[in-house]
Amino acid sequence: DNMQGLYESGSFYDIVLRVGKSLRLPAHRFVLASHSPFFARMLSVEMIEQHAGEIQLEDVNDDALAAIVSSFYSAAGTVALSAATVGNIIRCASRLQSVSVERVAVNFFCSCLEPDCGAAALCFAAEMAATGSDPTKYLLRQCLSYVCAHFRVCSTQPEFLMLSHDTVRSLLASDNLECDESSVFNGLMSWVKH
């Protein structure tokens, strides 16, 4: 693919993305702008970055940013995902408003759900859904459904105690809650006492 070759060869870079002091990621303005409304606005309106040779990004995981920018150059838009990196990639894609990467990462995240991390996944999904993007709203719905199906196990996890009032209310109001009443009562009482 020509774009991937252009990226790998380092030809014609006109911007450098910086994360902290550790990552300097050369890129092309038109590629960033075409895949990310965040970059499109930053590079097209009267902002310092429009004329600067570097963009300093704060609160972004450098590995996630590198994976996402690399995906911008691939023909299929594929992003390298693993269970260990998917959360950071969702966060970064959400920040960059790269809905296509966010959607792929959310689908991968959902395919990795397991009962022993269901409550933690729901905490993450609730946090990310606050961004308001369609993929993160979908993630929240999927995680709510998953925890409902595995409530007995998930309600005993420490992360369950960190769920917001609204999230617990959504769980308890669900017609898909699959457990006995004593598990619901015990889970709720643990959450209330916390």
Side-chain angles (χ1 to χ4, degrees), residues 5 28 35 41 64 72 74-75 89 91 103 106 120-121 136 153 162-163 175 182 187 193-194:
H28 302 90
H35 290 279
R41 274 191 303 283
F72 291 170
S74 72
I89 289 176
R91 269 194 183 91
R103 187 172 288 117
V106 161
T136 58
V153 173
M162 308 195 117
L163 294 172
D175 292 334
S182 66
K193 289 177 184 177
H194 178 71

Side-chain angles (χ1 to χ4, degrees), residues 59 84 91 126 172:
D59 302 323
R91 269 194 183 91
L172 298 179

Side-chain angles (χ1 to χ4, degrees), residues 13-29 32 38-39 42-43 47-58 65:
Y13 288 139
D14 58 0
I15 192 89
V16 174
L17 304 177
R18 292 187 62 109
V19 178
K21 295 180 181 170
S22 61
L23 179 69
R24 293 187 78 248
L25 190 63
H28 302 90
R29 291 170 189 266
L32 296 177
F38 172 84
F39 285 125
M42 184 180 284
L43 295 169
M47 294 182 72
I48 294 170
E49 292 83 2
Q50 182 183 25
H51 303 291
E54 289 189 352
I55 297 175
Q56 179 72 38
L57 296 168
E58 303 295 332
L65 180 64

Side-chain angles (χ1 to χ4, degrees), residues 86-88 90-91 109 119-129 139 163:
V86 69
N88 286 329
I90 292 171
R91 269 194 183 91
F109 186 97
L122 182 54
C123 282
F124 174 75
E127 172 195 338
M128 293 310 304
L139 176 63
L163 294 172

Side-chain angles (χ1 to χ4, degrees), residues 117-157:
C117 63
L122 182 54
C123 282
F124 174 75
E127 172 195 338
M128 293 310 304
T131 67
S133 72
D134 288 341
T136 58
K137 290 177 190 174
Y138 172 79
L139 176 63
L140 179 59
R141 287 192 306 273
Q142 292 301 108
C143 288
L144 279 167
S145 177
Y146 190 86
V147 170
C148 281
H150 300 90
F151 187 85
R152 190 180 55 73
V153 173
C154 295
S155 66
T156 63
Q157 298 164 354

